[in-house]
Amino acid sequence: MTISIDDYKALSQELDPEKLQRTILNLLLKLQNVERGSLWIERDSMYECVEALGHQSEELKGIKLNPNKKSIVGWVIQNGKMTIAEAGADARHNSQFENNFKVKSKNILCFPLLLKGKAVYGAVQVIDTSSDGDHLNLNPEYLTMLQDVVDIGSIALRNSLEFQTQQRKYAQLSRTLSCLREKNSIVGKSASVNKALKLVKNYAATNYPVLISGESGTGKELFAQEIHAQSGRADKPFLTQNCSAIPENLLESELFGYVKGAFTGATANKLGLFEAADEGTVFLDEIGDMDINLQAKVLRVLQENEIKPLGGTRTRKVNVRIISATNRKLEEEVRSGRFREDLYYRLNVLPLKLPCLNERQEDIPLLTEYFLTREASFSHMLPKKLTPEARTAMKNHKWPGNIRELENAVKQFQAMVPGDTIQLADLPPHIASPVTTPSIRTLTQKRGSALRSNSKEAPAMDISVFTWTELESTYVLKLLEKHKWNVSQAARAANLNRSTFDSRMKKLGITKKIDQ
């Protein structure tokens, strides 16, 4: 029997190693008119059967041979030569593998799997199991032709194995890159960050509640994730809920769940975060914005480790660690009656105060480089570089929005700055050329000048002479003066949440003086 063009194509075009192994074996069995065969690869210092065909072949696949023990496969791999062996009579034959076989081998023909450089990485054998043992064609010319077929198949198989290895490496790199893209890291070498990280390590060894405080954008959720990741609950859920993002009734159903029929639209039972995170961690962000009525139910979770879904009549035990965060001063909220004192002390067992970016200026270059590298990976590009002037301006900027503002600035650079270098001129004006917020007296003088410049027929003030920051600063200061620097009252007058008003004050650099 001869080999056809289609047979050669089948050998050279298949990239799947498992399919190619079977193709090689099937072709050799067909050419030799026998039914049993096996293919072996040298792997991890052993000879492993990676494919086998014929009666009871499934018992042979996966078997490993020790190179130090005699075997026909081992001899062929070690000598790089074809061999013919009579089963049972040849000392190299490992007959114990066939002890349970109903049909025994008679004659074995084994070829080495060679690379172009004559390096041997495996062997393929075809086995005659006929009663007379006369099915193999052992004509020298025919065997030479078969060796050529095996050589083509062995090179194709080696290429496919290498291709598969590269695919696995690529998949692993892709997964690693994906993790790097998705996972934010705590970046910083400043003393304040190192102090916070030491506390994280200590807190992770316990199950006590943690209260993380700090300005908006300082990375409170990131530190909460790190506590969870270093704790004994790391392989359990970490679930997050922003307490200021949704109304009170919806927040309660998110945290505690509800039973079918609890309210209009409750068509099925819903699992709450506390129950879904059982044995894990629940992170309650902006805990200071939680309604005081709901605070009582959260207190029960901390005290009794139990919840009751909305509309339910029975309580359920849960085992969760609560990490909460706030940008408010909860002590003041307790004194004003907006936050329960007993809940505050339950949450604040392990306090963690995060520094604002202005308190860790030496970390700004590190954070900038980290964000530039991360954003570049999303775009499959090399990260942009900052000139020394631009780097200095970034470091000297006050960053009222903290790390979140810095991250957003880097995203703008990635999208808007052409080329691979960020110049000082590429930075936003408020970073490249910072200006101080004018005093209320300066603004009043400026306003008076603007009024005097108007004609009698146009008594309205020309506000176009002011910048947006000047107008906002004047508005905020006037509100605070009007309400005797009661921030909550000023926020209500501005129709803003207290936390939002606080954030605007900080961004504008407005702070309450001691004598106010």
Side-chain angles (χ1 to χ4, degrees):
M1 185 177 291
T2 59
I3 185 169
S4 67
I5 296 296
D6 289 338
D7 290 329
Y8 281 115
K9 285 183 178 179
L11 292 175
S12 61
Q13 294 179 354
E14 183 60 63
L15 289 176
D16 186 315
E18 291 188 6
K19 291 181 180 178
L20 185 54
Q21 288 161 188
R22 189 171 288 269
T23 299
I24 292 171
L25 267 183
N26 273 320
L27 179 57
L28 291 175
L29 296 184
K30 181 181 73 170
L31 292 171
Q32 281 288 11
N33 193 28
V34 293
E35 295 181 352
R36 181 178 292 171
S38 56
L39 193 149
W40 302 72
I41 297 292
E42 186 173 4
R43 182 180 289 167
D44 298 328
S45 300
M46 298 286 281
Y47 305 142
E48 181 180 349
C49 180
V50 295
E51 188 59 78
L53 297 176
H55 184 65
Q56 292 183 279
S57 59
E58 66 278 359
E59 298 180 29
L60 190 60
K61 191 173 179 179
I63 284 178
K64 295 181 180 180
L65 295 173
N66 190 320
N68 296 323
K69 293 185 178 180
K70 287 184 178 181
S71 66
I72 295 169
V73 167
W75 187 92
V76 168
I77 293 176
Q78 290 164 16
N79 291 274
K81 297 178 181 179
M82 175 197 73
T83 192
I84 302 167
E86 183 180 350
D90 196 307
R92 299 171 298 177
H93 182 224
N94 254 317
S95 59
Q96 71 268 21
F97 292 129
E98 295 188 346
N99 287 341
N100 298 322
F101 283 23
K102 292 181 180 179
V103 180
K104 310 291 185 180
S105 300
K106 291 291 184 179
N107 289 312
I108 301 168
L109 175 62
C110 191
F111 295 93
L113 295 174
L114 301 167
L115 295 177
K116 289 181 179 179
K118 300 300 180 183
V120 183
Y121 68 91
V124 57
Q125 59 183 8
V126 290
I127 302 168
D128 186 355
T129 58
S130 64
S131 57
D132 296 327
D134 58 357
H135 283 199
L136 289 175
N137 184 347
L138 301 179
N139 181 284
E141 291 182 2
Y142 194 71
L143 292 180
T144 300
M145 184 271 290
L146 286 184
Q147 182 66 68
D148 290 340
V149 172
V150 172
D151 288 347
I152 293 171
S154 64
I155 292 173
L157 178 57
R158 186 66 198 182
N159 288 341
S160 69
L161 289 169
E162 183 62 28
F163 177 73
Q164 186 183 64
T165 300
Q166 293 302 323
Q167 277 190 316
R168 287 172 180 163
K169 287 182 179 179
Y170 176 77
Q172 179 62 41
L173 287 171
S174 295
R175 286 192 294 270
T176 302
L177 184 58
S178 178
C179 289
L180 287 173
R181 289 170 177 170
E182 294 173 4
K183 176 178 169 52
N184 291 318
S185 301
I186 297 175
V187 178
K189 295 181 179 179
S190 60
S192 55
V193 170
N194 286 333
K195 180 181 177 181
L197 287 174
K198 286 179 181 177
L199 288 175
V200 164
K201 184 177 180 180
N202 294 338
Y203 292 175
T206 75
N207 284 310
Y208 301 134
V210 179
L211 177 60
I212 305 175
S213 58
E215 295 180 7
S216 294
T218 50
K220 294 187 285 292
E221 183 173 353
L222 197 56
F223 275 83
Q225 289 173 344
E226 192 63 28
I227 293 171
H228 174 77
Q230 293 188 32
S231 74
R233 300 173 182 261
D235 59 343
K236 302 300 181 182
F238 176 88
L239 302 181
T240 299
Q241 179 60 57
N242 189 320
C243 299
S244 66
I246 54 177
E248 173 198 351
N249 57 334
L250 291 180
L251 179 58
E252 183 177 358
S253 68
E254 284 297 313
L255 294 177
F256 294 91
Y258 54 77
V259 298
K260 181 179 179 181
F263 50 83
T264 302
T267 57
N269 293 342
K270 174 183 169 61
L271 201 65
L273 252 67
F274 286 129
E275 195 170 358
D278 194 27
E279 297 187 356
T281 305
V282 171
F283 175 57
L284 300 177
D285 198 9
E286 304 297 349
I287 188 75
D289 291 336
M290 181 180 286
D291 183 83
I292 198 161
N293 295 318
L294 186 54
Q295 291 174 25
K297 296 188 176 183
V298 174
L299 179 63
R300 185 167 184 82
V301 178
L302 288 161
Q303 289 177 329
E304 307 296 337
N305 295 320
E306 63 182 28
I307 59 150
K308 185 169 73 171
L310 278 171
T313 57
R314 300 175 63 182
T315 60
R316 302 173 187 174
K317 285 288 183 181
V318 291
N319 173 17
V320 294
R321 181 184 198 171
I322 295 180
I323 301 177
S324 51
T326 182
N327 62 1
R328 295 189 180 193
K329 293 182 178 179
L330 286 189
E331 300 93 333
E332 294 181 4
E333 299 294 307
V334 168
R335 285 194 291 271
S336 66
R338 289 188 293 271
F339 201 86
R340 292 181 63 109
E341 184 177 18
D342 47 6
L343 177 59
Y344 170 69
Y345 289 118
R346 283 282 183 176
L347 292 172
N348 197 34
V349 177
L350 301 176
L352 179 60
K353 176 72 168 69
L354 297 187
C356 64
L357 199 51
N358 294 335
E359 296 171 349
R360 42 179 296 206
Q361 277 190 303
E362 61 266 46
D363 290 334
I364 292 175
L366 293 174
L367 285 161
T368 303
E369 184 177 350
Y370 168 76
F371 288 131
L372 284 170
T373 302
R374 192 193 66 182
E375 294 305 314
S377 72
F378 292 154
S379 308
H380 304 285
M381 298 169 61
L382 291 174
K384 298 179 186 296
K385 300 293 183 182
L386 287 158
T387 63
E389 296 79 12
R391 189 180 299 110
T392 299
M394 293 282 287
K395 187 175 180 180
N396 292 337
H397 180 58
K398 294 305 180 183
W399 300 107
N402 291 295
I403 299 172
R404 188 176 296 120
E405 182 187 358
L406 175 60
E407 180 182 7
N408 289 339
V410 169
K411 289 179 179 179
Q412 291 176 13
F413 301 157
Q414 187 68 24
M416 301 173 64
V417 176
D420 57 1
T421 303
I422 301 169
Q423 308 283 344
L424 181 63
D426 295 320
L427 303 184
H430 68 284
I431 297 177
S433 303
V435 293
T436 56
T437 304
S439 66
I440 192 70
R441 177 179 296 178
T442 302
L443 287 174
T444 303
Q445 293 172 349
K446 193 171 184 179
R447 183 185 296 111
S449 175
L451 282 169
R452 287 190 296 273
S453 66
N454 289 332
S455 64
K456 294 180 181 180
E457 297 178 358
M461 181 176 63
D462 180 12
I463 63 173
S464 65
V465 299
F466 303 114
T467 66
W468 184 267
T469 301
E470 289 172 342
L471 286 172
E472 191 174 12
S473 296
T474 304
Y475 174 65
V476 170
L477 286 167
K478 278 296 183 183
L479 277 177
L480 289 168
E481 289 178 353
K482 180 178 179 180
H483 295 283
K484 303 186 186 312
W485 282 83
N486 186 311
V487 177
S488 296
Q489 291 180 12
R492 281 194 290 271
N495 198 25
L496 293 173
N497 291 332
R498 163 69 185 258
S499 59
T500 304
F501 196 84
D502 269 336
S503 177
R504 295 308 303 164
M505 284 177 60
K506 290 169 185 172
K507 194 160 188 176
L508 294 166
I510 298 173
T511 55
K512 185 176 180 180
K513 304 295 188 296
I514 296 176
D515 59 344
Q516 289 172 330

